Coordinates of all heavy atoms in Angstrom, one line a residue:
M1 N -30.4 55.6 -34.5 CA -31.2 56.7 -35.1 C -30.6 58.0 -34.6 O -30.3 58.2 -33.5 CB -32.7 56.6 -34.7 CG -33.5 57.7 -35.3 SD -35.2 57.7 -34.7 CE -35.9 56.3 -35.5
T2 N -30.5 58.9 -35.6 CA -30.0 60.3 -35.2 C -31.0 61.3 -35.2 O -32.0 61.2 -36.1 CB -28.9 60.7 -36.3 OG1 -28.6 59.7 -37.2 CG2 -27.7 61.4 -35.7
Q3 N -30.9 62.2 -34.3 CA -32.0 63.2 -34.2 C -31.3 64.6 -34.6 O -30.2 64.9 -34.1 CB -32.5 63.3 -32.8 CG -33.7 64.3 -32.7 CD -34.3 64.3 -31.2 OE1 -33.7 63.6 -30.4 NE2 -35.3 65.0 -31.1
T4 N -32.0 65.2 -35.5 CA -31.5 66.6 -36.0 C -32.4 67.6 -35.5 O -33.6 67.6 -35.5 CB -31.5 66.5 -37.5 OG1 -30.8 65.4 -38.0 CG2 -30.8 67.8 -38.0
T5 N -31.8 68.7 -35.0 CA -32.6 69.9 -34.7 C -32.3 71.0 -35.6 O -31.1 71.3 -36.0 CB -32.1 70.4 -33.2 OG1 -31.0 69.7 -32.8 CG2 -33.3 70.3 -32.2
V6 N -33.3 71.7 -35.9 CA -33.1 72.9 -36.8 C -33.7 74.1 -36.1 O -34.8 74.1 -35.6 CB -33.9 72.7 -38.1 CG1 -33.8 73.8 -39.1 CG2 -33.5 71.4 -38.8
D7 N -32.8 75.1 -36.0 CA -33.2 76.4 -35.4 C -33.9 77.2 -36.5 O -33.3 77.6 -37.5 CB -32.0 77.1 -34.8 CG -31.5 76.4 -33.6 OD1 -32.3 75.8 -32.9 OD2 -30.3 76.5 -33.4
V8 N -35.2 77.5 -36.3 CA -35.9 78.4 -37.2 C -36.4 79.6 -36.5 O -37.0 79.4 -35.4 CB -37.1 77.5 -37.8 CG1 -37.9 78.4 -38.7 CG2 -36.6 76.3 -38.5
E9 N -36.2 80.7 -37.0 CA -36.8 81.9 -36.4 C -38.2 82.2 -37.0 O -38.2 82.4 -38.3 CB -35.8 83.1 -36.6 CG -36.3 84.3 -35.8 CD -35.2 85.4 -35.8 OE1 -34.0 85.0 -35.8 OE2 -35.6 86.5 -35.8
L10 N -39.2 82.2 -36.2 CA -40.5 82.4 -36.8 C -40.8 83.9 -36.8 O -40.5 84.6 -35.9 CB -41.6 81.7 -35.8 CG -41.4 80.2 -35.8 CD1 -42.4 79.6 -34.8 CD2 -41.5 79.5 -37.1
E11 N -41.5 84.2 -37.9 CA -42.0 85.6 -38.0 C -43.2 85.8 -37.2 O -44.1 85.0 -37.2 CB -42.2 85.9 -39.4 CG -42.5 87.3 -39.8 CD -42.6 87.5 -41.2 OE1 -41.8 87.0 -42.0 OE2 -43.5 88.3 -41.7
P12 N -43.3 86.9 -36.4 CA -44.6 87.1 -35.6 C -45.8 87.3 -36.4 O -45.7 87.9 -37.6 CB -44.2 88.3 -34.8 CG -43.0 88.9 -35.3 CD -42.3 88.0 -36.2
M13 N -46.8 86.8 -36.0 CA -48.1 86.9 -36.8 C -48.7 88.3 -36.6 O -48.6 88.9 -35.5 CB -49.2 85.8 -36.2 CG -48.8 84.5 -36.5 SD -50.0 83.3 -35.9 CE -51.5 83.8 -36.8
D14 N -49.3 88.8 -37.6 CA -50.1 90.1 -37.5 C -51.4 89.8 -37.0 O -52.3 89.3 -37.7 CB -50.1 90.8 -38.9 CG -50.8 92.0 -38.9 OD1 -51.1 92.6 -37.8 OD2 -51.2 92.6 -40.0
T15 N -51.7 90.2 -35.7 CA -53.0 90.0 -35.1 C -53.7 91.3 -34.8 O -54.7 91.3 -34.0 CB -52.9 89.2 -33.8 OG1 -52.1 90.0 -32.9 CG2 -52.3 87.9 -34.0
A16 N -53.3 92.3 -35.6 CA -53.9 93.7 -35.3 C -55.4 93.7 -35.5 O -56.1 94.4 -34.7 CB -53.3 94.7 -36.4
E17 N -56.0 93.0 -36.4 CA -57.4 93.1 -36.6 C -58.2 92.3 -35.4 O -59.3 92.7 -35.1 CB -57.8 92.4 -37.9 CG -57.4 93.1 -39.1 CD -57.9 92.6 -40.4 OE1 -58.8 91.7 -40.4 OE2 -57.4 92.9 -41.5
V18 N -57.6 91.4 -34.7 CA -58.3 90.7 -33.7 C -57.9 91.2 -32.3 O -58.6 91.0 -31.4 CB -58.1 89.2 -33.7 CG1 -58.7 88.6 -35.0 CG2 -56.7 88.8 -33.6
D19 N -56.9 92.0 -32.2 CA -56.4 92.5 -30.9 C -57.5 93.3 -30.2 O -57.6 93.3 -29.0 CB -55.2 93.4 -31.1 CG -53.9 92.5 -31.4 OD1 -53.9 91.3 -31.1 OD2 -52.9 93.1 -31.8
Q20 N -58.3 94.0 -31.0 CA -59.4 94.9 -30.4 C -60.4 94.1 -29.6 O -61.2 94.5 -28.8 CB -60.0 95.8 -31.4 CG -60.7 95.0 -32.5 CD -61.3 95.8 -33.5 OE1 -61.8 97.0 -33.2 NE2 -61.3 95.4 -34.8
W21 N -60.5 92.8 -30.0 CA -61.6 92.0 -29.4 C -61.1 91.0 -28.3 O -61.9 90.4 -27.6 CB -62.2 91.0 -30.5 CG -62.8 91.8 -31.6 CD1 -62.2 92.0 -32.9 CD2 -63.9 92.6 -31.6 NE1 -63.0 92.8 -33.6 CE2 -64.1 93.2 -32.8 CE3 -64.9 92.8 -30.6 CZ2 -65.2 94.0 -33.2 CZ3 -66.0 93.7 -30.9 CH2 -66.1 94.2 -32.1
I22 N -59.8 91.0 -28.0 CA -59.3 90.2 -26.9 C -59.9 90.6 -25.6 O -59.7 91.9 -25.2 CB -57.7 90.2 -26.9 CG1 -57.3 89.5 -28.2 CG2 -57.2 89.5 -25.7 CD1 -55.8 89.4 -28.4
G23 N -60.5 89.8 -24.8 CA -61.0 90.1 -23.5 C -62.4 90.7 -23.5 O -62.9 91.0 -22.5
R24 N -62.9 90.9 -24.7 CA -64.3 91.5 -24.8 C -65.2 90.4 -25.3 O -65.0 89.7 -26.2 CB -64.3 92.7 -25.8 CG -63.4 93.8 -25.3 CD -63.3 95.0 -26.3 NE -64.7 95.5 -26.7 CZ -64.9 96.2 -27.7 NH1 -63.9 96.6 -28.5 NH2 -66.1 96.6 -28.0
P25 N -66.4 90.5 -24.7 CA -67.5 89.5 -25.2 C -67.9 89.8 -26.6 O -68.1 91.0 -26.9 CB -68.6 89.6 -24.2 CG -68.3 90.7 -23.4 CD -66.9 91.2 -23.6
I26 N -68.2 88.8 -27.3 CA -68.7 89.1 -28.7 C -70.1 88.5 -28.7 O -70.3 87.3 -28.4 CB -67.8 88.4 -29.8 CG1 -66.4 89.0 -29.7 CG2 -68.4 88.6 -31.2 CD1 -65.4 88.4 -30.6
A27 N -71.1 89.2 -29.1 CA -72.5 88.7 -29.2 C -72.6 87.8 -30.3 O -71.9 87.9 -31.4 CB -73.4 89.9 -29.3
G28 N -73.5 86.9 -30.2 CA -73.8 85.9 -31.3 C -75.3 85.4 -31.2 O -76.0 85.9 -30.3
E29 N -75.6 84.5 -32.0 CA -76.9 84.0 -32.0 C -77.1 83.1 -30.8 O -76.2 82.5 -30.3 CB -77.1 83.2 -33.3 CG -77.1 84.0 -34.6 CD -78.3 85.0 -34.7 OE1 -79.4 84.6 -34.2 OE2 -78.1 86.1 -35.1
Q30 N -78.3 83.0 -30.4 CA -78.7 82.2 -29.2 C -79.4 80.9 -29.8 O -80.0 81.0 -30.8 CB -79.7 82.9 -28.3 CG -79.2 84.1 -27.7 CD -78.0 83.8 -26.7 OE1 -78.0 82.9 -26.0 NE2 -76.9 84.5 -26.8
L31 N -79.1 79.8 -29.2 CA -79.7 78.5 -29.6 C -81.2 78.6 -29.3 O -81.6 79.0 -28.3 CB -79.0 77.3 -28.9 CG -77.5 77.1 -29.2 CD1 -77.0 76.0 -28.3 CD2 -77.4 76.7 -30.7
K32 N -82.0 77.9 -30.2 CA -83.4 77.8 -30.0 C -83.7 76.7 -29.0 O -84.7 76.7 -28.3 CB -84.1 77.6 -31.2 CG -84.1 78.8 -32.2 CD -84.8 78.6 -33.4 CE -84.8 79.8 -34.3 NZ -85.6 79.6 -35.5
E33 N -82.9 75.7 -29.0 CA -83.1 74.5 -28.1 C -81.8 74.1 -27.4 O -80.7 74.3 -27.9 CB -83.6 73.3 -29.0 CG -84.9 73.6 -29.7 CD -85.3 72.5 -30.7 OE1 -84.5 71.5 -30.8 OE2 -86.4 72.6 -31.3
P34 N -81.9 73.5 -26.3 CA -80.7 73.0 -25.6 C -80.0 72.0 -26.4 O -80.6 71.2 -27.2 CB -81.2 72.6 -24.2 CG -82.6 72.6 -24.3 CD -83.1 73.2 -25.6
V35 N -78.7 71.9 -26.2 CA -77.8 70.9 -26.8 C -77.9 69.6 -26.0 O -77.7 69.6 -24.8 CB -76.4 71.4 -27.0 CG1 -75.5 70.3 -27.6 CG2 -76.4 72.6 -27.9
A36 N -78.2 68.5 -26.7 CA -78.2 67.2 -26.0 C -76.9 66.5 -26.4 O -76.3 66.7 -27.3 CB -79.4 66.4 -26.5
V37 N -76.6 65.4 -25.5 CA -75.5 64.6 -25.8 C -75.5 64.0 -27.1 O -74.5 63.9 -27.8 CB -75.3 63.6 -24.6 CG1 -74.1 62.6 -24.9 CG2 -75.0 64.3 -23.3
N38 N -76.6 63.5 -27.6 CA -76.7 62.9 -28.9 C -76.4 63.8 -30.0 O -75.9 63.5 -31.1 CB -78.0 62.2 -29.1 CG -78.0 60.8 -28.7 OD1 -77.0 60.2 -28.4 ND2 -79.2 60.2 -28.4
D39 N -76.7 65.2 -29.8 CA -76.3 66.2 -30.8 C -74.8 66.2 -31.0 O -74.3 66.3 -32.1 CB -76.9 67.6 -30.4 CG -78.3 67.7 -30.3 OD1 -79.0 67.0 -31.1 OD2 -78.9 68.4 -29.5
I40 N -74.1 66.1 -29.9 CA -72.6 66.2 -29.9 C -72.1 64.9 -30.6 O -71.2 65.0 -31.4 CB -72.1 66.3 -28.5 CG1 -72.5 67.7 -27.9 CG2 -70.6 66.1 -28.4 CD1 -72.2 67.8 -26.4
R41 N -72.7 63.8 -30.2 CA -72.3 62.5 -30.8 C -72.5 62.5 -32.4 O -71.7 62.1 -33.2 CB -73.1 61.4 -30.3 CG -72.6 61.0 -28.9 CD -73.3 59.6 -28.5 NE -72.9 59.2 -27.2 CZ -73.8 59.2 -26.1 NH1 -75.0 59.5 -26.3 NH2 -73.3 58.8 -24.9
R42 N -73.6 63.0 -32.8 CA -73.9 63.1 -34.2 C -73.0 64.0 -34.9 O -72.5 63.8 -36.0 CB -75.3 63.6 -34.4 CG -76.4 62.5 -34.1 CD -77.8 63.0 -34.4 NE -78.7 62.1 -34.0 CZ -79.8 62.4 -33.2 NH1 -79.9 63.6 -32.8 NH2 -80.6 61.4 -32.8
W43 N -72.6 65.1 -34.3 CA -71.7 66.1 -34.9 C -70.3 65.5 -35.1 O -69.8 65.5 -36.2 CB -71.6 67.3 -34.0 CG -70.6 68.3 -34.5 CD1 -69.3 68.5 -34.2 CD2 -70.8 69.3 -35.6 NE1 -68.7 69.5 -34.9 CE2 -69.6 70.0 -35.8 CE3 -72.0 69.6 -36.3 CZ2 -69.6 70.9 -36.7 CZ3 -71.9 70.6 -37.2 CH2 -70.7 71.3 -37.4
V44 N -69.8 64.9 -34.1 CA -68.4 64.3 -34.2 C -68.4 63.1 -35.2 O -67.4 62.9 -35.9 CB -67.7 63.9 -32.9 CG1 -67.5 65.2 -32.1 CG2 -68.5 62.9 -32.1
Q45 N -69.5 62.4 -35.2 CA -69.6 61.3 -36.2 C -69.6 61.9 -37.7 O -68.9 61.4 -38.5 CB -70.9 60.5 -36.0 CG -71.0 59.3 -37.0 CD -72.3 58.5 -36.7 OE1 -73.2 59.0 -36.1 NE2 -72.2 57.3 -37.3
G46 N -70.4 62.9 -37.8 CA -70.4 63.6 -39.1 C -69.1 64.2 -39.6 O -68.7 64.3 -40.7
M47 N -68.4 64.7 -38.6 CA -67.1 65.4 -38.8 C -66.0 64.3 -38.9 O -64.8 64.6 -39.2 CB -66.8 66.3 -37.7 CG -67.7 67.5 -37.6 SD -67.7 68.5 -39.1 CE -66.1 69.3 -38.9
N48 N -66.3 63.0 -38.6 CA -65.3 61.9 -38.7 C -64.2 62.3 -37.7 O -63.0 62.2 -38.0 CB -64.8 61.7 -40.1 CG -64.1 60.3 -40.2 OD1 -64.4 59.5 -39.3 ND2 -63.2 60.2 -41.1
Y49 N -64.6 62.7 -36.5 CA -63.6 63.1 -35.4 C -63.6 62.0 -34.3 O -64.5 62.0 -33.5 CB -64.0 64.5 -34.9 CG -63.0 65.1 -34.0 CD1 -61.7 65.3 -34.3 CD2 -63.3 65.4 -32.7 CE1 -60.8 65.8 -33.5 CE2 -62.4 66.0 -31.9 CZ -61.2 66.2 -32.3 OH -60.2 66.8 -31.4
P50 N -62.7 61.1 -34.3 CA -62.7 60.0 -33.4 C -62.3 60.1 -32.0 O -62.0 59.2 -31.3 CB -61.8 59.0 -34.2 CG -60.8 59.9 -34.8 CD -61.5 61.1 -35.2
N51 N -62.3 61.3 -31.4 CA -61.9 61.5 -30.1 C -63.0 61.0 -29.1 O -64.1 61.5 -29.1 CB -61.6 63.0 -29.8 CG -61.0 63.3 -28.4 OD1 -61.2 62.5 -27.5 ND2 -60.3 64.4 -28.3
R52 N -62.7 60.0 -28.3 CA -63.7 59.4 -27.5 C -64.3 60.3 -26.5 O -65.4 60.0 -25.9 CB -63.1 58.1 -26.8 CG -62.7 57.1 -27.8 CD -62.2 55.8 -27.2 NE -61.3 56.0 -26.1 CZ -60.9 55.1 -25.3 NH1 -61.3 53.8 -25.5 NH2 -60.1 55.4 -24.3
L53 N -63.6 61.4 -26.2 CA -64.1 62.4 -25.2 C -65.5 62.9 -25.6 O -66.3 63.4 -24.9 CB -63.1 63.5 -25.1 CG -63.4 64.6 -24.1 CD1 -63.5 64.0 -22.6 CD2 -62.2 65.6 -24.1
H54 N -65.8 62.9 -26.9 CA -66.9 63.5 -27.5 C -68.1 62.5 -27.7 O -69.2 62.9 -28.1 CB -66.7 64.2 -28.8 CG -65.5 65.2 -28.7 ND1 -65.5 66.2 -27.7 CD2 -64.3 65.3 -29.3 CE1 -64.4 66.9 -27.8 NE2 -63.7 66.3 -28.8
F55 N -67.9 61.2 -27.5 CA -69.0 60.2 -27.8 C -69.1 59.1 -26.8 O -70.1 58.4 -26.7 CB -68.9 59.8 -29.2 CG -67.8 59.0 -29.7 CD1 -67.7 57.6 -29.4 CD2 -66.7 59.6 -30.2 CE1 -66.6 56.9 -29.7 CE2 -65.6 58.9 -30.6 CZ -65.6 57.5 -30.4
E56 N -68.0 58.8 -26.1 CA -68.0 57.6 -25.2 C -68.1 58.0 -23.7 O -67.2 58.6 -23.2 CB -66.7 56.8 -25.5 CG -66.7 55.4 -24.8 CD -65.5 54.7 -25.3 OE1 -65.2 54.5 -26.5 OE2 -64.7 54.3 -24.3
E57 N -69.3 57.6 -23.1 CA -69.6 58.1 -21.8 C -68.6 57.6 -20.7 O -68.1 58.5 -20.0 CB -71.0 57.5 -21.4 CG -72.1 58.3 -22.0 CD -73.5 57.8 -21.5 OE1 -73.6 57.5 -20.4 OE2 -74.3 57.8 -22.4
D58 N -68.2 56.4 -20.8 CA -67.2 55.9 -19.7 C -65.9 56.6 -19.8 O -65.3 57.0 -18.8 CB -67.1 54.4 -19.8 CG -68.3 53.6 -19.5 OD1 -69.2 54.1 -18.8 OD2 -68.5 52.5 -20.0
F59 N -65.4 56.7 -21.1 CA -64.1 57.4 -21.3 C -64.2 58.9 -20.9 O -63.3 59.4 -20.2 CB -63.7 57.3 -22.8 CG -62.4 58.0 -23.1 CD1 -61.2 57.3 -22.8 CD2 -62.4 59.3 -23.6 CE1 -60.0 57.9 -23.2 CE2 -61.1 59.8 -23.9 CZ -60.0 59.2 -23.6
A60 N -65.2 59.5 -21.2 CA -65.4 61.0 -20.9 C -65.6 61.2 -19.4 O -65.1 62.1 -18.8 CB -66.6 61.5 -21.6
A61 N -66.2 60.2 -18.7 CA -66.4 60.3 -17.3 C -65.1 60.3 -16.6 O -65.0 60.9 -15.5 CB -67.3 59.2 -16.8
E62 N -64.1 59.6 -17.1 CA -62.8 59.6 -16.4 C -61.9 60.8 -16.8 O -60.8 60.9 -16.2 CB -62.1 58.2 -16.9 CG -62.8 57.0 -16.5 CD -62.8 56.9 -15.0 OE1 -61.7 57.2 -14.3 OE2 -63.8 56.4 -14.4
S63 N -62.4 61.6 -17.7 CA -61.6 62.8 -18.1 C -61.7 63.9 -17.0 O -62.5 63.9 -16.1 CB -62.1 63.3 -19.5 OG -63.3 64.0 -19.3
E64 N -61.0 65.0 -17.3 CA -61.1 66.1 -16.4 C -62.4 66.8 -16.4 O -62.8 67.5 -15.5 CB -59.9 67.2 -16.7 CG -60.1 67.8 -18.2 CD -59.0 68.7 -18.5 OE1 -58.9 69.8 -17.9 OE2 -58.2 68.3 -19.3
F65 N -63.2 66.6 -17.4 CA -64.5 67.2 -17.5 C -65.6 66.4 -16.9 O -66.6 66.9 -16.5 CB -64.9 67.4 -19.1 CG -63.8 68.2 -19.8 CD1 -63.0 67.5 -20.7 CD2 -63.7 69.5 -19.6 CE1 -62.0 68.3 -21.4 CE2 -62.8 70.2 -20.3 CZ -61.9 69.7 -21.2
G66 N -65.4 65.1 -16.8 CA -66.3 64.2 -16.1 C -67.5 63.8 -16.8 O -68.5 63.2 -16.3
R67 N -67.6 64.2 -18.1 CA -68.8 63.9 -18.9 C -68.4 64.1 -20.4 O -67.3 64.8 -20.7 CB -70.0 64.7 -18.5 CG -69.7 66.2 -18.7 CD -70.9 67.0 -18.2 NE -70.6 68.4 -18.2 CZ -71.4 69.4 -18.5 NH1 -72.6 69.0 -18.9 NH2 -71.0 70.5 -18.5
I68 N -69.3 63.8 -21.3 CA -69.1 64.1 -22.8 C -69.2 65.6 -23.0 O -70.0 66.3 -22.4 CB -70.2 63.4 -23.6 CG1 -69.9 61.9 -23.6 CG2 -70.2 63.9 -25.0 CD1 -70.9 61.0 -24.3
V69 N -68.2 66.1 -23.7 CA -68.1 67.5 -24.0 C -68.2 67.6 -25.6 O -67.7 66.7 -26.3 CB -67.0 68.2 -23.4 CG1 -67.1 68.2 -21.9 CG2 -65.7 67.6 -23.8
A70 N -68.5 68.8 -26.0 CA -68.6 69.1 -27.5 C -67.1 69.5 -27.9 O -66.3 70.0 -27.2 CB -69.5 70.3 -27.8
S71 N -66.9 69.2 -29.2 CA -65.6 69.5 -29.8 C -65.6 71.0 -30.1 O -66.7 71.7 -30.1 CB -65.4 68.7 -31.1 OG -66.4 69.1 -32.1
Q72 N -64.4 71.6 -30.4 CA -64.4 73.0 -30.7 C -65.2 73.4 -31.9 O -65.8 74.4 -32.0 CB -62.9 73.4 -30.8 CG -62.1 73.4 -29.6 CD -60.7 73.7 -29.7 OE1 -60.1 73.4 -30.8 NE2 -60.0 74.3 -28.7
S73 N -65.1 72.5 -32.9 CA -65.9 72.8 -34.1 C -67.3 72.9 -33.9 O -68.0 73.6 -34.6 CB -65.5 71.7 -35.2 OG -65.9 70.5 -34.8
F74 N -67.8 72.2 -32.9 CA -69.3 72.2 -32.6 C -69.7 73.6 -32.1 O -70.7 74.1 -32.5 CB -69.7 71.1 -31.5 CG -71.1 71.0 -31.3 CD1 -71.9 70.2 -32.0 CD2 -71.7 71.8 -30.3 CE1 -73.3 70.0 -31.7 CE2 -73.0 71.7 -30.0 CZ -73.9 70.8 -30.7
A75 N -68.8 74.2 -31.3 CA -69.2 75.5 -30.7 C -69.0 76.5 -31.7 O -69.7 77.5 -31.7 CB -68.2 75.7 -29.5
V76 N -68.1 76.4 -32.7 CA -67.9 77.4 -33.6 C -69.0 77.4 -34.7 O -69.5 78.5 -35.1 CB -66.5 77.3 -34.3 CG1 -66.4 78.2 -35.5 CG2 -65.4 77.5 -33.3
C77 N -69.4 76.3 -35.1 CA -70.4 76.2 -36.1 C -71.8 76.2 -35.6 O -72.8 76.5 -36.2 CB -70.2 74.9 -37.0 SG -68.6 74.9 -37.8

């Protein structure tokens, strides 16, 4: 099997609109109720996101977090 490398020069992204917010807290809505582990499990099931870190206790306990954690999409939405 041969491996081919292609040198591609990437154009820098224009981040001018978000640069002003880097390092500054952004206010948002507060949750009315605390998030439970089953909320996280239901979310990843609904999103069809099979990462065991978000729903399997034994697997998550062995991770660097030591417990089930929410996926990034959970925190954003």
Side-chain angles (χ1 to χ4, degrees):
M1 179 187 285
T2 347
Q3 186 175 3
T4 309
T5 8
V6 178
D7 291 329
V8 177
E9 190 171 323
L10 299 176
E11 188 175 319
M13 291 179 61
D14 178 14
T15 59
E17 290 186 18
V18 295
D19 287 344
Q20 63 181 327
W21 300 107
I22 294 178
R24 294 177 55 194
I26 299 175
E29 295 294 322
Q30 296 296 315
L31 294 175
K32 292 183 180 182
E33 299 172 1
V35 175
V37 173
N38 271 343
D39 297 327
I40 296 169
R41 285 188 181 116
R42 288 182 185 129
W43 179 262
V44 296
Q45 182 181 17
M47 296 296 292
N48 196 24
Y49 188 57
N51 187 333
R52 298 185 316 170
L53 183 60
H54 307 305
F55 63 86
E56 192 175 299
E57 285 183 38
D58 294 335
F59 181 82
E62 297 296 322
S63 74
E64 63 184 290
F65 305 106
R67 62 186 172 139
I68 290 178
V69 293
S71 64
Q72 290 175 332
S73 62
F74 185 90
V76 170
C77 296

